[in-house]
Amino acid sequence: MAMPAKFLTASLLLSLLLLHFSEADHDPVNSNLAASSPPKKIDCGSACKARCQLSSRPRLCKRACGSCCSRCSCVPPGTAGNYEACPCYASLTTHGGRRKCP
């Protein structure tokens, strides 16, 4: 009875070890690809102009949008909402905890 239990334990440990090494092989490749490709730049001026075209305070909107765009390199589509398209843009907040980006 001890022999099958030892075999089962050894095979389980071996499979976990192989799984660990196979995952370790994939991580450096992904991190090297992410590190080697620079973040794409967008034209923040035109993106924020489109985003703020219906704002009641366009100068304030463009200033806040430009600040957010320069940090995140993205602006959500449309004139309002659509924050899921740019999570970084949506996550920026003021000191009061309100959304910074229009």
Side-chain angles (χ1 to χ4, degrees):
M1 276 307 209
M3 188 67 146
K6 286 182 182 180
F7 178 74
L8 181 63
T9 304
S11 63
L12 180 63
L13 288 175
L14 182 62
S15 63
L16 287 174
L17 187 65
L18 288 174
L19 180 65
H20 176 73
F21 284 128
S22 68
E23 288 178 0
D25 286 341
H26 292 291
D27 289 340
V29 171
N30 290 337
S31 64
N32 286 339
L33 286 176
S36 66
S37 61
K40 64 178 184 173
K41 291 285 185 179
I42 66 167
D43 181 12
C44 291
S46 63
C48 289
K49 183 178 179 183
R51 179 81 175 169
C52 297
Q53 67 185 356
L54 299 179
S55 175
S56 61
R57 300 176 69 188
R59 291 174 70 183
L60 179 66
C61 180
K62 287 177 189 173
R63 188 177 72 212
C65 177
S67 173
C68 296
C69 178
S70 66
R71 285 188 187 178
C72 298
S73 295
C74 66
V75 174
T79 56
N82 301 317
Y83 291 110
E84 65 278 354
C86 186
C88 170
Y89 190 93
S91 68
L92 296 177
T93 58
T94 64
H95 293 292
R98 297 177 66 187
R99 279 194 174 145
K100 176 183 174 111
C101 309

